[in-house]
Amino acid sequence: MNGAQALLRTLADAGVTVCFTNPGTSEMHFVAALDAEPRMRAVLTLFEGVATGAADGYARMRGHPAATLLHLGCGLGNGLANLHNARKAHTPVVNIVGDHATHHAALDAPLQSDIATVARNVSGWLHTCTDVHALGAIAASAVAAACHPPGQVATLILPADVSWSEGAVPGVVPPPQPPARVDDARLDAIAAALTRGEPAALLLGGAALGAEPQLDAARCAASCGARLLAETFPARIERGAGLPPLARLAYLAELAQVQLRGVRHLVLVGARAPVSFFAYPGKPGSLVPPGCTVHTLADVGEDAADALARLAARLGAAGNDPPRQSPRRPPRPRGRLSAATLAKAVGHLLPQGAIVVDESQTSGTLLPHFTRGAPRHDVLTLTGGAIGQGLPNAVGAAIACPDRPVLALVGDGAAMYTPQALWTMARERLHVVTVILNNRAYAILQLELRRVGAVGGGERARAQFDLGQPPLDFVQLAHGMGVPAQRVSTAEAFADALERALATPGPHLIEAIVPSTVRGVKKWLLPHVLGLLPHLPDGLARGVQRAVAPP
Amino acid sequence: MNGAQALLRTLADAGVTVCFTNPGTSEMHFVAALDAEPRMRAVLTLFEGVATGAADGYARMRGHPAATLLHLGCGLGNGLANLHNARKAHTPVVNIVGDHATHHAALDAPLQSDIATVARNVSGWLHTCTDVHALGAIAASAVAAACHPPGQVATLILPADVSWSEGAVPGVVPPPQPPARVDDARLDAIAAALTRGEPAALLLGGAALGAEPQLDAARCAASCGARLLAETFPARIERGAGLPPLARLAYLAELAQVQLRGVRHLVLVGARAPVSFFAYPGKPGSLVPPGCTVHTLADVGEDAADALARLAARLGAAGNDPPRQSPRRPPRPRGRLSAATLAKAVGHLLPQGAIVVDESQTSGTLLPHFTRGAPRHDVLTLTGGAIGQGLPNAVGAAIACPDRPVLALVGDGAAMYTPQALWTMARERLHVVTVILNNRAYAILQLELRRVGAVGGGERARAQFDLGQPPLDFVQLAHGMGVPAQRVSTAEAFADALERALATPGPHLIEAIVPSTVRGVKKWLLPHVLGLLPHLPDGLARGVQRAVAPP
């Protein structure tokens, strides 16, 4: 048995049965070994960023890693941005990077580069295997490391001669370690802080964003009057009717500060202490309010679900019925297509069990609001800020959950980082409905230019955000990669197209022409305010709701 | 003056007047400063690999660097593959990577990553500027470092607060250092080796591939009966009628060994000692024949042109008329479109001064043969093996040389790594004719699978090389990005389309449907044999020419 065969056997034995590939010459023995290991599904991508982003999306939904197959340091470089997103999402990924044969490295051939140095940046575990006899065991360690709570990228660098040499033995992956249990003393301390009558908030992230932990968190929050918030960019969050109201911390620091204003105890549950996404001149980076004590109920690698259940019990709230979103969909929208009517159509039509991949940037800020009463669904977001995650994540999620519809909502700028994902959707006949929210701009940068206080930005600066010259035609791009597509510019047409696409198996793309929501900072802020509604006085909240209501 | 303004002033003062950009929030002050520095042309790209590949193509043609503007570590990751190609090409690039503000790094915000570690892999010079007062001087050092012979990637990491702070002073770039002059003793030793009557070869690379050095090298070679070869993947090579016959060393090690067989003295001129591109089981990595002495006439940073001129004088060949390719074009091809008829059409039509960007992989092996008697032109190739270089290189070359037509010949697989370059071609109205040689396969991998001796590669392995399900439609992809396009499948239609596109300013794409040249290794090898014709006995050479002649 050669190295590649033992590697594939090890992976498949451990339930790693999907590999997102973009191979080159140094990975040919891995490719050849596919025919001897029918349990492994090799999903070809045309670009490595699609492979790594698909592995991320797959494991976010499956809870178990997929593998990648990348070609040397340059292939790894192409996949780096989505590995960064996976790292920030704590996604388990078995990241396999082929390398030159060990004896070839000294020759400094054209593709020679320092793979380990680049990989270190995104990998919680990293190993270069130079001995075919050890490969099985090392591959098993890679899988175990990837699955180590909360999950991480484990990179195995695989020289070609280790792949092709004989004498390999498959490795055995030990049973996965459960996440660490939080001790009683910590629970006692946090229960005491929460019942002191001071303003408090629970900030949920990671594993705390599943349905049961959310409900327990809502029980805790309700019993002591604490606010309930989710991290800004969750790897995966369950949402919809029956779950508690749960606003995500706003991307804009100014608004996040409003959400957290006056909080004296901030309890982190699978989330990290909130910081501003970017730095701005003269503004603080940490979003923890002054005088607030930060408590960690469960760190990202700890058992957040168990900790919340036990905290609820300690607070005497274990049996309570928590506040829940009632089932409620917005009416089918009419008229002009906009960020608001598009979000309403999604809320109107979202099917039970849908997986929403949200990389819609500025155009998508109303989605949480209008989908809050929809049937139960999952949302995957841009965890690491490296755009180009949406389409690849959708590929992975669709392969992880073939019985669930995937709805990818992607901004036009973001879609152009990894458009090649559409081809894999067509090739694998994945039921992914891609909606491109095309405002023909890097709209978020139009806003950020003002937020950072950059002055002197005239015509030449603004041209850097203009994606309208020439306009991108996503219908033709999709057709070029084998995905049926249509363009819509009214709310009715969008709703009709979305309904049809969701009902028809296979990939579809809808190019939604939407006006930029960034006409002025003030107008753009409104959608964000919706996330704050629970924290606003009633009168003001109603005023805001009226302001953003459809005409 | 803030940091960004001083940086732009420093660059423009040094003649760095083009910047290929894909900015984000941390680069907003750089973007805002564009309006205050009209000498700087900011060319927006939709993906960082296009920006870095364009900077590479620009400087290959201009001999002077462009800048890039990338967004943090993930933007750098996306641009890494083409920076790798630039590094292998010894291209000067001023690679500017924006970073979080210095005080923000400690917060580990979503986009935080270790930029320097990733950059080190591709950068001959690397500096993180943390003091706005030093920025001008450091930027000047970056330009000087990029231009240091033979040229390199100089990466300047620019935290946002250094960009936005006041108090910066533009820096002054010192005059560029000339390449080092080779001493007389080395010339004497090499002249002695070449006149010993033993089989010798000159291997030219880098700066030795300009017209004058080629002619001097041909004078030297002719005077002592040495073979004349060029490195396999030159950054830029001048070709066409009036220049000496100059075969490139074959990509396939088996053929390169034939080209070098029996050579006792291998003289490197701006090239490195040849090695196999990849390692293969049981085959040597070094291509230097046994018993051959390797001499370095000029290392990559040394003055190859001067060394060749002086060597020619020492060999008494300075005034000689060297062998030259006579002006001769193949006839306009007819019939089936194939790798051969496509190359003939290019040879038939290639205009004076064209810049050919060749990333045509297996389909392009006949191009050097059929363009050897065309009018003088430049060829840029895939120096580092990281595919996705062709389209971005074409963008940069067109901006560097607006009066010269650019012909980008790109395989279908390669084109899909950086297709976003087409949008920038349309936006900037560049006169680039892109030919996609679409054989609907990773044909080179079909071949490599056999070459590495991978067995057991059945249907599932072969599916990894199949780009035909679904077929990519490059006409629609081009239209989707604003580039006029058409598909052709006969030699006549291709020649007509190419002629029209070359005559019409602005970007054009021609999708050429060609059969895979990899039907069997034997057939595929034939084109390569053409590069060997000068070294074959006459009878065999004529036989080979007949075998590949058109029907």
Side-chain angles (χ1 to χ4, degrees):
Chain A
M1 185 178 288
N2 71 23
Q5 290 158 346
L7 171 58
L8 282 174
R9 174 91 58 95
T10 305
L11 294 175
D13 285 350
V16 180
T17 53
V18 173
C19 182
F20 297 98
T21 67
N22 188 258
T25 298
S26 35
E27 294 77 45
M28 283 302 99
H29 284 82
F30 187 109
V31 168
L34 286 171
D35 283 282
E37 183 48 83
R39 291 175 295 172
M40 179 61 78
R41 176 176 180 184
V43 177
L44 181 63
T45 66
L46 297 178
F47 177 69
E48 294 86 347
V50 178
T52 55
D56 178 29
Y58 176 93
R60 289 196 201 186
M61 290 310 303
R62 193 75 152 228
H64 194 69
T68 63
L69 183 65
L70 310 178
H71 184 44
L72 297 119
C74 296
L76 175 65
N78 283 341
L80 207 64
N82 272 328
L83 288 171
H84 170 88
N85 287 325
R87 176 172 77 91
K88 291 289 184 171
H90 305 289
T91 306
V93 175
V94 180
N95 184 43
I96 300 172
V97 186
D99 194 2
H100 284 309
T102 47
H103 56 270
H104 201 66
L107 298 177
D108 195 23
L111 270 167
Q112 182 67 36
S113 72
D114 179 356
I115 303 175
T117 295
V118 174
R120 195 161 288 123
N121 227 349
V122 290
S123 310
W125 182 97
L126 172 65
H127 197 98
T128 303
C129 180
T130 54
D131 174 11
V132 69
H133 303 97
L135 178 58
I138 288 170
S141 301
V143 177
C147 297
H148 191 276
Q152 59 188 341
V153 177
T155 296
L156 171 60
I157 301 174
L158 181 63
D161 55 338
V162 177
S163 254
W164 77 51
S165 295
E166 292 294 327
V169 183
V172 178
V173 178
Q177 249 186 304
R181 195 160 185 268
V182 169
D183 64 30
D184 286 329
R186 211 194 298 174
L187 289 171
D188 291 338
I190 289 172
L194 287 174
T195 48
R196 211 169 291 160
E198 294 176 328
L202 271 67
L203 180 61
L204 311 185
L209 295 173
E212 287 313 315
Q214 279 186 38
L215 290 166
D216 276 329
R219 290 183 182 102
C220 295
S223 79
C224 59
R227 300 174 203 173
L228 193 60
L229 291 163
E231 61 187 348
T232 310
F233 291 109
R236 173 184 178 181
I237 179 170
E238 220 168 327
R239 291 278 67 211
L243 291 176
L246 178 58
R248 277 153 60 187
L249 206 62
Y251 165 75
L252 295 182
E254 301 88 322
L255 291 167
Q257 284 173 320
V258 175
Q259 289 174 295
L260 292 170
R261 186 167 293 158
V263 166
R264 304 280 298 173
H265 299 280
L266 178 61
V267 179
L268 306 175
V269 197
R272 298 183 49 240
V275 300
S276 171
F277 203 91
F278 290 107
Y280 302 93
K283 291 180 188 165
S286 168
L287 299 177
V288 177
C292 173
T293 306
V294 177
H295 310 261
T296 299
L297 175 63
D299 211 343
V300 287
E302 294 177 326
D303 193 339
D306 171 75
L308 283 166
R310 287 159 61 209
L311 181 65
R314 262 189 185 50
L315 295 171
N320 296 357
D321 194 29
R324 295 172 188 263
Q325 304 274 13
S326 51
R328 189 177 51 178
R329 291 176 179 274
R332 197 171 183 108
R334 291 157 181 253
R336 208 170 65 97
L337 191 58
S338 66
T341 51
L342 187 144
K344 283 180 191 176
V346 172
H348 184 74
L349 293 166
L350 199 66
Q352 173 75 35
I355 301 167
V356 178
V357 179
D358 181 9
E359 199 185 21
S360 54
Q361 321 285 17
T362 56
S363 297
T365 44
L366 285 160
L367 280 163
H369 180 67
F370 287 118
T371 55
R372 68 194 193 285
R376 206 69 75 80
H377 59 279
D378 282 291
V379 182
L380 316 185
T381 80
L382 180 55
T383 47
I387 59 182
Q389 153 268 356
L391 297 175
N393 259 204
V395 166
I399 287 174
C401 304
D403 300 327
R404 299 176 62 175
V406 177
L407 177 61
L409 301 160
V410 185
D412 51 332
M416 289 308 292
Y417 287 80
T418 45
Q420 305 92 340
L422 293 169
W423 183 80
T424 299
M425 291 179 195
R427 180 176 170 94
E428 302 287 333
R429 297 185 182 85
L430 306 179
H431 189 27
V432 178
V433 180
T434 297
V435 177
I436 306 291
L437 296 93
N438 190 354
N439 58 21
R440 296 179 176 161
Y442 286 137
I444 199 162
L445 295 183
Q446 295 171 335
L447 177 76
E448 293 286 15
L449 184 74
R450 306 182 209 186
R451 290 185 71 217
V452 299
V455 292
E459 196 183 329
R460 302 177 80 237
R462 285 195 305 270
Q464 291 286 304
F465 317 136
D466 173 21
L467 304 185
Q469 294 188 25
L472 288 158
D473 181 332
F474 284 94
V475 172
Q476 298 221 48
L477 288 171
H479 287 165
M481 289 181 270
V483 172
Q486 71 179 105
R487 181 177 302 109
V488 297
S489 50
T490 67
E492 289 88 343
F494 175 70
D496 291 350
L498 181 60
E499 190 164 34
R500 246 191 335 271
L502 286 168
T504 315
H508 302 271
L509 182 141
I510 303 168
E511 179 176 8
I513 306 295
V514 291
S516 171
T517 40
V518 189
R519 286 287 165 75
V521 174
K522 197 175 155 202
K523 193 171 169 193
W524 192 80
L525 289 184
L526 273 179
H528 279 281
V529 174
L530 289 168
L532 305 181
L533 287 180
H535 316 300
L536 296 177
D538 273 0
L540 180 54
R542 274 195 299 275
V544 168
Q545 274 171 321
R546 268 197 303 275
V548 297
Chain B
M1 184 179 286
N2 71 24
Q5 290 158 345
L7 171 58
L8 281 175
R9 173 93 59 94
T10 305
L11 294 175
D13 285 350
V16 179
T17 53
V18 173
C19 182
F20 297 98
T21 67
N22 189 259
T25 299
S26 36
E27 294 77 44
M28 283 301 99
H29 285 83
F30 186 109
V31 168
L34 288 170
D35 283 281
E37 184 47 84
R39 290 175 295 172
M40 179 62 78
R41 177 177 180 185
V43 178
L44 180 64
T45 67
L46 297 177
F47 177 70
E48 294 86 347
V50 178
T52 55
D56 179 29
Y58 177 94
R60 289 197 201 185
M61 289 311 303
R62 193 74 153 231
H64 195 68
T68 63
L69 182 64
L70 310 178
H71 184 44
L72 297 119
C74 295
L76 175 64
N78 283 341
L80 208 63
N82 272 328
L83 288 171
H84 170 88
N85 287 324
R87 175 172 77 91
K88 292 290 184 171
H90 304 290
T91 307
V93 175
V94 179
N95 184 42
I96 300 172
V97 185
D99 194 2
H100 283 309
T102 48
H103 56 270
H104 202 65
L107 298 177
D108 195 23
L111 271 168
Q112 182 67 37
S113 71
D114 179 356
I115 303 175
T117 294
V118 175
R120 196 161 287 121
N121 227 350
V122 290
S123 309
W125 181 97
L126 172 65
H127 197 98
T128 303
C129 179
T130 54
D131 174 10
V132 68
H133 303 97
L135 178 57
I138 287 170
S141 301
V143 176
C147 297
H148 191 275
Q152 61 187 341
V153 177
T155 296
L156 171 60
I157 301 174
L158 181 62
D161 54 337
V162 177
S163 254
W164 77 50
S165 294
E166 292 293 327
V169 184
V172 178
V173 177
Q177 249 186 305
R181 196 160 184 269
V182 169
D183 65 31
D184 286 328
R186 211 194 297 175
L187 288 171
D188 291 337
I190 289 172
L194 286 174
T195 49
R196 211 170 291 162
E198 294 176 329
L202 272 66
L203 179 62
L204 312 185
L209 295 174
E212 286 311 316
Q214 280 186 39
L215 290 165
D216 276 328
R219 288 182 183 103
C220 295
S223 80
C224 58
R227 301 175 201 172
L228 193 58
L229 291 163
E231 61 188 347
T232 311
F233 291 109
R236 174 184 178 180
I237 179 170
E238 218 167 328
R239 291 278 68 209
L243 290 177
L246 178 57
R248 277 154 58 186
L249 205 62
Y251 164 77
L252 295 183
E254 302 88 323
L255 292 167
Q257 285 173 320
V258 174
Q259 289 174 294
L260 292 169
R261 186 167 293 160
V263 166
R264 304 280 297 173
H265 298 280
L266 178 62
V267 178
L268 306 175
V269 197
R272 299 185 47 239
V275 300
S276 171
F277 203 89
F278 289 106
Y280 302 93
K283 292 181 186 164
S286 167
L287 299 178
V288 177
C292 174
T293 305
V294 177
H295 309 262
T296 299
L297 175 63
D299 210 343
V300 287
E302 295 177 326
D303 194 339
D306 171 75
L308 284 166
R310 287 158 61 209
L311 182 64
R314 259 187 187 55
L315 294 170
N320 297 358
D321 193 28
R324 295 173 188 263
Q325 304 275 13
S326 51
R328 188 176 52 175
R329 291 175 179 276
R332 197 171 184 108
R334 291 157 182 255
R336 209 170 63 97
L337 190 58
S338 66
T341 50
L342 187 143
K344 283 180 189 172
V346 172
H348 184 75
L349 293 167
L350 199 67
Q352 172 76 34
I355 301 166
V356 178
V357 180
D358 181 7
E359 200 185 21
S360 54
Q361 322 285 14
T362 56
S363 298
T365 43
L366 285 161
L367 280 163
H369 180 68
F370 288 118
T371 54
R372 68 195 192 285
R376 206 69 75 80
H377 60 279
D378 282 290
V379 181
L380 315 186
T381 81
L382 181 55
T383 48
I387 58 181
Q389 155 267 358
L391 297 175
N393 259 204
V395 166
I399 287 175
C401 305
D403 299 329
R404 298 176 62 176
V406 176
L407 176 61
L409 301 160
V410 184
D412 52 333
M416 289 307 293
Y417 286 81
T418 46
Q420 306 92 339
L422 293 169
W423 184 80
T424 299
M425 291 178 193
R427 180 178 170 93
E428 301 287 332
R429 298 187 181 84
L430 305 178
H431 189 25
V432 178
V433 179
T434 298
V435 177
I436 305 292
L437 296 92
N438 190 354
N439 58 20
R440 297 180 176 159
Y442 285 136
I444 198 161
L445 295 183
Q446 295 172 335
L447 177 76
E448 293 286 16
L449 184 75
R450 306 182 208 188
R451 290 185 72 217
V452 299
V455 291
E459 195 183 329
R460 302 178 81 235
R462 285 196 304 273
Q464 292 285 307
F465 317 136
D466 173 20
L467 304 185
Q469 293 189 24
L472 288 157
D473 181 332
F474 284 95
V475 172
Q476 297 221 49
L477 288 171
H479 286 165
M481 291 182 268
V483 172
Q486 71 181 104
R487 180 177 304 109
V488 297
S489 50
T490 67
E492 290 88 342
F494 175 70
D496 291 350
L498 180 61
E499 189 164 37
R500 245 190 337 269
L502 286 167
T504 315
H508 302 271
L509 182 140
I510 302 167
E511 179 176 7
I513 305 296
V514 292
S516 171
T517 41
V518 189
R519 286 287 166 77
V521 173
K522 197 175 155 201
K523 191 168 172 196
W524 192 81
L525 289 184
L526 274 179
H528 281 279
V529 176
L530 289 169
L532 306 181
L533 287 179
H535 316 299
L536 296 177
D538 273 0
L540 181 54
R542 274 195 300 275
V544 169
Q545 275 172 320
R546 269 197 305 275
V548 298

